[in-house]
Amino acid sequence: LDKTTYANGESVTLTATSSPGQEPFHAWMGDILTRSNPVTLVMTNNKTVIARFTSIVFTWTNVQGGDWDVARNWRPNLAPGSNDIVIIPSSTVTLNTPANCADVTLNAGTLNGNGTLTVWENFAWMGGSMGGSGRTLLETNATLEINAAFASLNSRTLENAGTIQFGGSGALNVTGGATVTNRPGGLIHVQNAATIGSVVANGRLDNAGTFRKSSSTGTATFGSGMSFNNSGTVEIQTGTLNLAGGGTNSGTFTTPATTVVEWTGGTFMLNPGGQLNGDGLYRINAGTVAANTNVAIEKLDMISGTLGGTGVV
């Protein structure tokens, strides 16, 4: 009941209703802090209550680490809800339940656990690591910016339906059997001389979308512990792509003149349907390239290693 004054001890029930076409209710803030709706409060003094229909910025504050779903670990003291904004400056955050966020910033520390974190808009990975047996999913319109010289993915799955972008000094250390999956329609865009993977463990990148290297004339390197499996499109627009960890190709590589794809370790299999196109150079410098199908290559340079398989190159 809307009144100008309330009696001391009187109970008041508030119900938040969003307008058609607007964002849904997020939380009550002010003198009450809850996602419950409707909510009842007892009038013992003057109270200020705000119904929030827009995203809330949540900052992790527990320096000892803790559970994502525990409200006191965050400021404000609620667990982040659907389409809220999350900032993790440090510590270890354990996520064992599904969570949806509009934006995420991971500055340091670790995101762990077996839950799935779905990001709908922007993810700034400035440092720290993501681990555990769970999954981080970038939805179709989401963009993950990796600008950290040491961002680490350990055992976790990073699944992309939007855009993963490497810029600045951005690189990604992949350990513990972690997997990067680029869905059909997804884009992984390397704009620097990034190192992806490591020299240990059995990480992999499975590309069913587009993997693009542009801007930098330097070398983007997949470490010897990181396999690259392509069933989509690889576009080397500038510089060199160095594949040291083996993998497979049943999709398309495109290399314009002055660009290079170089194999420097592991076993890389050229499978049926795979194409190595363009006027750029394909170079075998170590390891094994096994052609399991006939492959036409404009320019092939063999320094060392093995070219084998049952197909004709």
Side-chain angles (χ1 to χ4, degrees):
L1 181 63
D2 184 14
K3 300 194 300 185
T4 56
T5 61
Y6 298 89
N8 187 32
E10 184 177 355
S11 293
V12 178
T13 298
L14 302 176
T15 302
T17 304
S18 60
S19 301
Q22 301 300 309
E23 285 197 47
F25 171 75
H26 278 246
W28 295 103
M29 304 186 74
D31 287 328
I32 55 173
L33 192 59
T34 181
R35 293 192 186 276
S36 299
N37 187 41
V39 65
T40 299
L41 64 157
V42 178
M43 301 300 297
T44 56
N45 56 358
N46 292 334
K47 295 185 183 293
T48 300
V49 179
I50 301 168
R52 187 70 177 260
F53 293 92
T54 55
S55 298
I56 302 169
V57 178
F58 287 87
T59 302
W60 183 267
T61 58
N62 186 349
V63 296
Q64 303 302 318
D67 194 303
W68 175 289
D69 291 318
V70 175
R72 65 176 178 273
N73 291 329
W74 300 93
R75 185 181 66 244
N77 290 151
L78 289 172
S82 177
N83 293 328
D84 283 327
I85 297 168
V86 166
I87 300 172
I88 301 175
S90 61
S91 308
T92 296
V93 181
T94 301
L95 176 66
N96 288 324
T97 56
N100 287 268
C101 296
D103 295 351
V104 174
T105 299
L106 180 59
N107 285 322
T110 301
L111 174 66
N112 248 331
N114 57 31
T116 295
L117 172 63
T118 301
V119 182
W120 293 88
E121 295 181 22
N122 299 298
F123 190 153
W125 197 348
M126 311 301 293
S129 63
M130 291 194 289
S133 59
R135 185 170 60 127
T136 299
L137 171 61
L138 301 169
E139 279 292 352
T140 304
N141 294 317
T143 297
L144 168 59
E145 295 274 356
I146 300 178
N147 290 312
F150 190 82
S152 182
L153 186 71
N154 180 19
S155 73
R156 194 173 184 85
T157 296
L158 174 59
E159 187 171 339
N160 177 51
T163 299
I164 297 176
Q165 194 155 283
F166 290 80
S169 60
L172 181 61
N173 187 46
V174 181
T175 60
T179 301
V180 181
T181 301
N182 195 34
R183 289 183 182 177
L187 171 64
I188 297 177
H189 193 181
V190 179
Q191 297 176 296
N192 60 1
T195 297
I196 302 172
S198 68
V199 297
V200 297
N202 57 338
R204 72 178 198 266
L205 189 152
D206 297 333
N207 177 52
T210 298
F211 180 93
R212 178 181 299 147
K213 183 186 179 301
S214 72
S215 303
S216 170
T217 57
T219 300
T221 301
F222 280 78
S224 58
M226 184 76 175
S227 63
F228 181 80
N229 303 303
N230 177 55
S231 59
T233 300
V234 177
E235 301 173 353
I236 310 304
Q237 297 180 352
T238 58
T240 299
L241 176 64
N242 178 7
L243 302 174
T248 62
N249 180 49
S250 57
T252 301
F253 278 66
T254 301
T255 57
T258 74
T259 66
V260 178
V261 172
E262 183 172 37
W263 293 278
T264 60
T267 298
F268 193 90
M269 293 185 290
L270 304 175
N271 292 330
Q275 301 178 47
L276 301 179
N277 299 331
D279 294 326
L281 178 64
Y282 293 89
R283 182 164 58 210
I284 303 172
N285 202 4
T288 298
V289 174
N292 299 322
T293 185
N294 296 343
V295 181
I297 304 177
E298 186 71 23
K299 296 178 181 178
L300 177 63
D301 184 14
M302 187 163 181
I303 298 174
S304 64
T306 302
L307 176 61
T310 59
V312 177
V313 177

